[in-house]
Amino acid sequence: MPYNQITPAGTIAPGADPKGPSRKEIRDIIETALNKDDFSFSWSSRNRQPYEGTLDTGSNNVSLYIYAWRISNGGRKNLPSEKRIQISQTVDNVGFHRPITAGQKTLLLGIYDSPSGTPIFAAWDAASNASHTQKSCQVQVEDLCAALTEHIHECQDSKGNTIFTFLPDYLGDYIDLVVAGNALAIPAGAAGTLDKKVKAATLPSRKKRAIKSTDKILAQIGNLSSTERTAVTKQRVGQGLFKDLLINKYHNQCALCRITTYQMLIGSHIKAWKDSNDTEKMDENNGLLLCAHHDALFDKHLISFEDTGDLIVSPTLSVAEQHELQIGAIPSITVTSGMKPYLADHRSKLKK
Ligand SMILES: [Zn+2]
């Protein structure tokens, strides 16, 4: 009887063992995943296992020992859903005995080359697998498949050890959060599904990464005009994580009109990026979700808002211009106490 596999449709059916990924493909999959979402990763050794590298999670630099093999059929025909990685006998197992700390982590990974189109990771606890003479780690294909819909999924092996299965987009978040025993450091009582808990728990790191990567680009273009620098910041930040936070806050709609077209919406800073400290730069209270038209008016300080939420219009706009720009249609906004210091800054810059 053939072993169960994940099908292109993301279901499970008997089928052939996926051929890949190869060792090189595994390293490429890891490298690609760890250079997304403002992560920055570099190898220091990748010729033999454990591969070594350094990941900047935003919060800190983590030195990584990485063991990674393809996930293939388990070998027991009476267990058609069992998959495994087989750890080579010759592998240097120094990393297995290394304690996991904030600054150093060992990853024990399997990668299943799912025909559904995206590779799926399984992550085991290196320490609990350190003493095996036959170092093989098992996972059920159903638990691999669950990652396709849940993005990150928690399960156990037959000995009760925790395994996570996840899509490549979650590799960096997994590394950021993993602690001893292969648990994830998620605050008790966090709400939502596991993928939402993971993203909430990594939000501080994601904010720091977004600031770092934007400041890095701004440093590289130091000779551009302030207008050009503002445009770059808007592109980097107004369309990135800051926008996503405001999309959530404003339910995907411009705070001043009915536009909901994602590409037209911008995460607009109330107090400018260049004038903000790191906390202010990624503070949702320091943002409005605006369409391109309203962002231009607000960003140029042609309109602003009182603490009551009432609109203020720059006296530099003539009545005719105000009519053409449909200023009269702009509603008052809801101002929370956290927004008031930022609005005070914005009002002080109103065009006079
Ligand atoms: Zn608008």
Side-chain angles (χ1 to χ4, degrees):
M1 188 175 128
Y3 293 94
N4 292 331
Q5 311 293 351
I6 299 175
T7 69
T11 56
I12 294 171
D17 201 10
K19 285 200 168 56
S22 68
R23 282 182 210 175
K24 180 183 183 306
E25 285 165 343
I26 284 173
R27 292 192 299 263
D28 288 348
I29 290 166
I30 290 171
E31 183 177 317
T32 302
L34 295 185
N35 279 300
K36 279 175 68 174
D37 295 337
D38 295 319
F39 279 110
S40 108
F41 174 70
S42 59
W43 297 108
S44 50
S45 165
R46 56 178 156 175
N47 291 328
R48 59 194 184 88
Q49 303 208 36
Y51 310 126
E52 293 177 43
T54 303
L55 178 71
D56 184 352
T57 67
S59 292
N60 57 347
N61 283 328
V62 182
S63 96
L64 297 176
Y65 275 160
I66 303 172
Y67 299 89
W69 286 271
R70 67 181 278 260
I71 293 173
S72 55
N73 292 333
R76 294 190 277 193
K77 295 220 162 145
N78 61 330
L79 299 173
S81 285
E82 186 179 83
K83 304 287 171 193
R84 71 175 175 192
I85 57 168
Q86 186 69 49
I87 300 168
S88 313
Q89 293 294 313
T90 55
V91 79
D92 178 351
N93 66 4
V94 57
F96 287 86
H97 300 288
R98 198 173 70 151
I100 290 181
T101 67
Q104 61 173 37
K105 297 187 181 183
T106 296
L107 305 182
L108 180 50
L109 302 173
I111 303 178
Y112 182 78
D113 197 6
S114 167
S116 66
T118 176
I120 300 170
F121 281 93
W124 286 268
D125 176 27
S128 65
N129 286 281
S131 58
H132 293 189
T133 47
Q134 288 288 324
K135 289 178 189 160
S136 70
C137 302
Q138 278 88 23
V139 62
Q140 303 300 308
V141 73
E142 287 81 4
D143 287 315
L144 291 170
C145 195
L148 293 176
T149 49
E150 297 173 28
H151 309 135
I152 180 164
H153 168 79
E154 183 174 358
C155 52
Q156 275 78 40
D157 69 12
S158 59
K159 300 180 190 74
N161 297 312
T162 300
I163 310 169
F164 290 96
T165 64
F166 49 83
L167 301 181
D169 278 356
Y170 282 77
L171 178 60
D173 296 306
Y174 169 78
I175 293 170
D176 195 9
L177 295 181
V178 74
V179 292
N182 213 32
L184 297 186
I186 292 173
T193 50
L194 181 60
D195 60 343
K196 290 197 168 62
K197 287 180 191 173
V198 165
K199 288 297 179 189
T202 55
L203 186 57
S205 295
R206 286 191 286 146
K207 285 182 173 182
K208 287 177 190 170
R209 290 201 302 275
I211 292 168
K212 274 188 189 178
S213 68
T214 302
D215 283 346
K216 195 169 153 190
I217 289 173
L218 291 174
Q220 285 164 352
I221 57 167
N223 55 347
L224 292 187
S225 71
S226 75
T227 308
E228 289 165 317
R229 292 170 69 83
T230 301
V232 169
T233 308
K234 275 207 170 295
Q235 177 60 33
R236 284 288 308 171
V237 185
Q239 299 291 346
L241 175 62
F242 192 63
K243 175 179 176 177
D244 288 343
L245 295 172
L246 293 169
I247 284 275
N248 196 32
K249 181 176 178 185
Y250 288 96
H251 307 292
N252 200 30
Q253 183 177 344
C254 172
L256 305 183
C257 70
R258 301 188 66 81
I259 286 180
T260 56
T261 306
Y262 186 84
Q263 295 88 337
M264 287 288 289
L265 295 169
I266 297 165
S268 189
H269 276 85
I270 300 172
K271 182 177 180 181
W273 176 275
K274 65 180 168 60
D275 299 329
S276 295
N277 65 31
D278 280 359
T279 305
E280 294 169 339
K281 279 174 176 171
M282 281 289 161
D283 183 359
E284 289 157 82
N285 290 310
N286 188 17
L288 290 173
L289 185 69
L290 296 174
C291 68
H293 171 66
H294 287 130
D295 173 65
L297 287 168
F298 188 72
D299 196 52
K300 301 276 184 293
H301 297 94
L302 294 168
I303 59 170
S304 191
F305 294 92
E306 301 284 6
D307 282 349
T308 56
D310 290 341
L311 179 73
I312 309 167
V313 182
S314 164
T316 64
L317 288 178
S318 69
V319 172
E321 282 174 314
Q322 289 187 38
H323 181 72
E324 290 301 323
L325 293 166
Q326 299 186 18
I327 300 288
I330 297 175
S332 58
I333 60 170
T334 302
V335 176
T336 58
S337 59
M339 293 167 70
K340 287 179 183 175
Y342 300 119
L343 277 175
D345 176 86
H346 192 265
R347 280 195 302 272
S348 74
K349 297 187 170 81
L350 189 74
K351 283 272 180 303
K352 297 233 169 69

